[in-house]
Structure formats: structure tokens, C-alpha cells
Amino acid sequence: MSVFARSPADRVIVVGAGVAGLATALRLAPRPVTLITAAPLGSGTATGWAQGGIAAAVGADDAPHLHAADTEAAGAGLTEPDVALRVAQAGPGLVDWLVGLGTGFDRDGEGALALGLEAAHGRRRIVRAKGDSTGRTVLDALVRVVQATPSIEVLVAGLHGLLQDGDGQVRGVICERDGASFRLPARAVVLATGGLGGLYASTTNPRGALGRGLLAAARAGAALRDLEFVQFHPTAIAAGRDPMPLATEALRGEGAVLIDENGERIMAGVAGGDLAPRDVVARGIFQALARGRTVFLDARGSLGARMPTRFPTVAALCAEAGIDPALQPIPVRPAAHYHMGGILVDAAGRSTVPGLWACGEVASTGLHGANRLASNSLLEALAFAPRIAESIGDAPASSEADRPPTLPEIRAEDPQTLAEVRGLMERHVGVVRDEAGLMQAVSRLTDLAERGSDAAQTGLIIARSALDRRESRGAHWRSDYPGQLAPRHAVTTLASSDAPRAVQELTDA
């Protein structure tokens, strides 16, 4: 049956074909699902680039409460403890689910799952595949199962907006394909559109990661939370590529160290050293670069020699850049990597707008807080997918939108404007921020947004949120406000994003 022939009373639309979208579509089976993807299945998604793995407390010396505690510690006071524990408890079962779907995780000599160590984890709990190709391996397994599931139909199209009825309930999507726009009604919509690293000049994300799902939800009136928290991966390979290739954090877990051009340790004297939380390491590298130093990830010797088998993805990326990691240190710098903020959702993935759910990086679930713990992103998407499916199954059926949509459509970006947006975000809404820079970004992004740039509109609400948070916490670091206030979430809507305000006070963790 064609996607256009399916009854909107039955159809669920899932937008995005990374781990969040694919897992949600599978969990919804046998309910009819239309999976909308901007690129052919298996391509154009950040999931395929995920190197590290999936954090899960499966080791003999580990337990979900220990995983949850590490998650809270990394989240800098904004991780919600009940969410962290619930997701950590789901981890082992989710790994089993993926194994059951045919995912080939790495094993040790006795056949048990091989477990890696990453920064801020107190135990070896990173389940990996093909060394550092976990994302690609998981993605390929999910794609195979989706393609074999009769209830899921795939539509390659771009998201332009959300359909809403007179009461504001989401009733479907507006899409674009082959230059033509069309409406696709549905009983429910799940946004699994990923992040917004493409708004930054230096990023490890696909260039198309511009926060379009976030903006579509905002235009529909959805509440957004903690938008200022953008995680910068400390060790993107500085080899002149855009997007920047990534040197997985697991390299430091296996003994690689950060040094400058003189061989001095970058993280010397810092608690946790090279395995400190990502925000700490990113700032350490950023500050070294600002002082004119060059930063390298040093894996020379036995680790570098083992990289083709233990870290084949990084080894190949280094080879493309003319670097032999066994003999040469790898030049690195921070790059926009993951958005902790997003569409505010509840424990079932429901947004504040009826008929709209969100899963994965585009959502703010309460798990990551101000700084995501390494390898918790794939886990979060997998953990919320079945909850979303169950919630949608309990929701009443809807009918087609009863009036034409009034939401503005998402337009194609002018390349010059996008380049300017990326430069503004990099300079003023990056690793270290201050009021003067943020105000400059807000002023220019406002102008570009008024001229019709959706990238500028998305960047603007992030910049305004960063300007409003007058403290330093996790991935949000204000050089003019280095101290911390009482932990708080900041919730806003597009209509009120000129003055985001704290709406929830949390006790100190």
C-alpha cells in the first residue's frame, strides 16, 4: 500500500532514520508506520558515524545504579535521577534486543561481550562493534530488519513542517520531494531528526544536521528545554575536513594522551586528567589552542600499532589525512558534537503539543543534563523507543487536519547565509561564551532570521538561551560568569525565546 493511500486514522509518521527513528518504527510494529528519511536508508545520519559504543551495565563488576551515578555526575546537576536509573536499568536488555536482531558486537576470548572504557565511566561498560564502528553496525542491523518489516514503509523526503488542526493537535507533516510539497496526515508524529551540529563551522555531525525537527516542533508551539547545552567533542581530527572526522574517546580509555607540540600533557593537574568529563577536556584543549599551543592525541607506540584492528575507523581516517598514529600524534580540536537540549518530553516521549512525540538527540528527556556521558546517546534512543510506541498505542485515533496549515514552511538555506550562521555560532556560541559575543550573535542572527533563514532562527534560540543562563555549568561555559547558581532547567517556546526563563528549580545533586 502506498504511503499516500494509508488511512491517517492508523498511520504513525516517524521522521528520521537514525537509531531513534528505526528503533521507534520497529517498536510500533505491526502498527502502520511511514518512516520519512531525508536520505536513502543507512546514509545521512549521525548514528552511522558513532564510534564509541553503547553504555550498558553488563560487566560482572557493574550495576545499573553505578551507571546511573556516573550519568548524574557528568550531567552537572541537571540529570534527572529517575530517568538516569530507568535508562541504565534498560541497558542490558536493549543490548540483548540488538543481539537478537543480528547485531554483531565484539566478543572477548571467552565469548562474552568485549567492554571498553570511556571518560567519566567508573567501569568498563562500553559495548562495541568492529572496534570503533558501533554506530554503523547497529544502523545496518536496524535497517535490515526495517526493510523486512511489512508494516513499515519508507519515504525519502524532506520535512517542511507539521500539520495541526484547529485545536493545535499535530495531525501529520508537510514534506517535500522532487521539488514539490505535499501533506501527509497521520494519527501521530514522532520526530527523530537528530541534532544541530551543522550550525557550527567545526562539527563532527553531517552537514544536514541543522535542527530542522527542533524548529518544526518549536513552530508548532512545543516547549523546548536547555537549548544552551551543546556538547563539543574534545578530539575531532584537525585535518581540514568538513565535517571533521572523530577520534573516539575510547582511544583515551585505552591509554592515548593529550599533548602539545612540546610533548607537555594538556590535562596535567586536572581531576580525571585525559579521562575527565567531555566538557572539561574540551575546555582544556580550547584554552590551550587560545594560548597558541597545538594539541595532539598521542597514541604512538603499541596502541597506534594496534589501531588498524582495534580502531579501524580512526586508523582509516588518519590514513586519509596522511597520519600514521603509530609514529605520529594526531592533531585534534573540539567540535560541535551533540545537543543535550531539545524538545521537552515526558517519560513516554510525549511533547507538550498533542499528537507529537520526540526521540533521540532532538528530545530533552532529562537523561543528559548539562553534559552527556559518553556512549549514552544510542542507549537513550533505544530506551525511549518502546515507551513512545506504547504511548502512541494508547492514544486516541485522529482524523485528517480540518484546515490548511498556517505554520511557515522550512526553506532551503542560502549557502552564503548558512556559512555566516556557522561562523557566528562557532565564534560566539561555542566552547567558551561571554555576554558581548552572545549579544553580537543574537543581533546578527535576528537579522538573518528575519530575512528567512531557518538555520539562523534555530541558532538564535540557542544563543538567546545561552545569554540567559548567567552561570557556567557542564557544556555551557561563560567566561564572564564562571560560578554556578542553584541547578535549574530553562524551558522556553519559540514565542517566548527572546526571554527564556527558569521554570523548574532542582535540588543540588
Side-chain angles (χ1 to χ4, degrees), residues 39-132:
L41 276 187
S43 62
T45 171
T47 294
W49 296 1
Q51 294 178 5
I54 300 172
V58 297
D61 65 342
D62 205 358
H65 75 273
L66 297 175
H67 183 183
D70 288 344
T71 299
E72 287 185 57
L78 292 185
T79 291
E80 297 176 15
D82 59 329
V83 176
L85 182 57
R86 187 168 64 245
V87 171
Q89 289 173 333
L94 293 169
V95 171
D96 289 342
W97 182 71
L98 288 173
V99 170
L101 296 182
T103 307
F105 291 115
D106 293 347
R107 305 278 175 167
D108 63 20
E110 297 179 354
L113 290 169
L115 302 177
L117 176 68
E118 292 184 344
H121 285 274
R123 298 287 190 277
R124 284 187 170 270
R125 64 167 67 98
I126 311 305
V127 180
R128 64 178 190 261
K130 298 180 181 177
D132 56 358

Side-chain angles (χ1 to χ4, degrees), residues 266-267 279-289 291 293 295:
I266 294 294
M267 300 303 294
D279 63 303
V280 176
V281 180
R283 281 195 301 278
I285 296 174
F286 178 88
Q287 290 163 351
L289 294 171
R291 292 193 294 268
R293 298 162 75 184
V295 179

Side-chain angles (χ1 to χ4, degrees), residues 66-293:
L66 297 175
H67 183 183
D70 288 344
T71 299
E72 287 185 57
L78 292 185
T79 291
E80 297 176 15
D82 59 329
V83 176
L85 182 57
R86 187 168 64 245
V87 171
Q89 289 173 333
L94 293 169
V95 171
D96 289 342
W97 182 71
L98 288 173
V99 170
L101 296 182
T103 307
F105 291 115
D106 293 347
R107 305 278 175 167
D108 63 20
E110 297 179 354
L113 290 169
L115 302 177
L117 176 68
E118 292 184 344
H121 285 274
R123 298 287 190 277
R124 284 187 170 270
R125 64 167 67 98
I126 311 305
V127 180
R128 64 178 190 261
K130 298 180 181 177
D132 56 358
S133 299
T134 308
R136 170 51 55 187
T137 304
V138 170
L139 184 68
D140 288 346
L142 293 174
V143 166
R144 285 194 300 270
V145 181
V146 163
Q147 290 174 328
T149 303
S151 59
I152 303 172
E153 189 157 12
V154 178
L155 174 65
V156 179
L159 175 68
H160 271 217
L162 297 172
L163 285 170
Q164 289 176 286
D165 63 18
D167 296 325
Q169 180 164 336
V170 171
R171 302 282 194 175
V173 298
I174 306 167
C175 289
E176 179 274 329
R177 186 173 62 179
D178 299 328
S181 297
F182 58 91
R183 301 175 189 171
L184 199 60
R187 64 171 292 161
V189 173
V190 182
L191 293 176
T193 50
L196 42 74
L199 294 174
Y200 288 81
S202 299
T203 183
T204 64
N205 291 179
R207 289 288 297 273
L210 299 174
R212 289 180 175 172
L214 181 76
L215 185 57
R219 285 174 168 164
L224 312 175
R225 182 167 65 176
D226 295 343
L227 300 183
E228 61 271 29
F229 294 112
V230 178
Q231 187 172 75
F232 297 86
H233 198 289
T235 54
I237 300 175
R241 286 177 53 183
D242 181 20
M244 297 179 71
L246 187 66
T248 175
E249 195 162 277
L251 278 163
R252 283 175 280 137
E254 297 299 323
V257 297
L258 292 161
I259 62 172
D260 66 10
E261 67 277 11
N262 298 316
E264 299 293 329
R265 296 283 291 267
I266 294 294
M267 300 303 294
V270 177
D274 294 296
L275 290 177
R278 280 185 177 174
D279 63 303
V280 176
V281 180
R283 281 195 301 278
I285 296 174
F286 178 88
Q287 290 163 351
L289 294 171
R291 292 193 294 268
R293 298 162 75 184

Side-chain angles (χ1 to χ4, degrees), residues 340-354:
M340 277 78 69
I343 302 165
L344 175 62
V345 298
D346 65 10
R350 285 182 295 245
S351 78
T352 58
V353 175

Side-chain angles (χ1 to χ4, degrees), residues 5-30:
R6 288 186 170 185
S7 167
D10 296 326
R11 175 170 48 210
V12 176
I13 291 176
V14 177
V15 187
V19 64
L22 296 172
T24 301
L26 287 171
R27 296 292 193 173
L28 282 161

